[in-house]
Amino acid sequence: MEPSDFFTASHVLVVAGKGGVGKTTVSAALGIAASRLGIDTLLVEIEGKRGLASLFGTEGLVYDDTVVVPASPDNAALRARTIRAEAALLDYFEDHGLTRFARGLTRLQVLDTLATSTPGLRDLIVLGKIKQLEVARNAELIIVDAPAAGHAISFLRAARGLQRTVETGPIRRQADEVVAMLTDPERAQVLLVTLAEETPVNELIETAYALEDDVGILLGPAVINGLYPELDVSTRPSRAGGVEAELAREAAAAAQYWTRRAANQAAQIERLVDELPLEQLRLPLRFTTRLDRDDVAELATILVDQVTALKFEPVE
């Protein structure tokens, strides 16, 4: 499919997955890929996470948009921001002409009390801000670096839960509007990220079915991150070329580990194909202790190639 069709199929792309699978890196790579296609893109991190800022070499993101990749003849600008519930609540009241009231609530830390007594309220406030950005067309594409998978389910379920418990008033209206966004494929979809390992794959499968059943949000391709490339390596010690015996044994042990790891990953990919009928985007492992902007840019190039090979058509 055309990459531009993929990145404009939904206005909001929620990237979720188990902690440690690289979903923040995938979010950043998706953002760079979309901006290279000329798509005005906004990256959103939730509740003060700092992963996106470190990948783009910035001190930290703030509540307002920050340009992390400037526009050029080759790409649209890529912006990023953070959304905290307290700031989003203040925003909401200011939009409704209640600025002084909102600041009073903030000083009294009322949100913490309300959130404790009303499960899901904090998540609804954040989702409400994302919905506001989507309705206002703040960007052609909004990519949300969601919480880790367990929290991601409760995060996206929040509006549904409050629909069931709140009958009238602004909370109910906000819940209805958020649910309308999440259940409209042209407005929102989820990309789940995993490693090709048993536990993350199990969690991805459970999350996928929970989101489909409980939230009704469209699932995009599963992103399998951190794959070892397939190499033709010998797993037997060799003394060819005068290599010392100890070095030959270490090289053989490394080759055995590599071969075993690649085989295990292939088995988990096959299991995921069997148990979850989603297309897949596959990203290689970056052999570094700390990813930087150049690493993310290379992953963005690979993502575009992977998207081009997808077989399904965008939702109409």
Side-chain angles (χ1 to χ4, degrees), residues 208-259:
Y209 286 114
L211 292 178
E212 278 194 325
D213 294 342
D214 298 347
V215 180
I217 193 167
L218 174 71
L219 297 181
V223 182
I224 305 177
N225 193 28
L227 291 174
Y228 276 58
E230 294 183 6
L231 298 178
D232 183 14
V233 293
S234 173
T235 59
R236 299 178 62 184
S238 173
R239 297 294 303 279
V243 175
E244 294 182 2
E246 182 62 23
L247 182 58
R249 284 193 293 271
E250 291 176 356
Q256 289 170 355
Y257 173 81
W258 189 288
T259 301

Side-chain angles (χ1 to χ4, degrees), residues 93-111:
F93 282 119
E94 287 178 346
D95 287 344
H96 290 76
L98 298 169
T99 301
R100 292 180 62 184
F101 174 70
R103 289 175 179 168
L105 291 181
T106 301
R107 285 195 300 272
L108 295 172
Q109 297 182 326
V110 172
L111 177 59

Side-chain angles (χ1 to χ4, degrees), residues 6-13 30-31 34 39-43 79 138-143:
F6 172 82
F7 285 104
T8 56
S10 302
H11 296 140
V12 176
L13 191 59
L30 287 165
I39 299 168
D40 178 33
T41 304
L42 173 67
L43 284 167
R79 294 169 286 132
N138 178 274
E140 290 179 82
L141 174 64
I142 300 171
I143 299 173

Side-chain angles (χ1 to χ4, degrees), residues 44-48 62-64 81-99 101-103 105-106 111 114 120-133 155 170 174 178:
V44 174
E45 66 178 14
I46 304 300
E47 292 287 347
V62 295
Y63 189 70
D64 296 318
R81 67 183 296 166
T82 188
I83 296 181
R84 294 177 180 271
E86 290 81 3
L89 181 62
L90 181 61
D91 229 7
Y92 176 84
F93 282 119
E94 287 178 346
D95 287 344
H96 290 76
L98 298 169
T99 301
F101 174 70
R103 289 175 179 168
L105 291 181
T106 301
L111 177 59
L114 289 174
L121 180 60
R122 181 180 291 273
D123 291 332
L124 178 67
I125 292 169
V126 172
L127 285 165
K129 180 60 182 179
I130 294 169
K131 180 265 303 177
Q132 181 192 47
L133 295 172
F155 175 69
Q174 188 76 287
V178 168

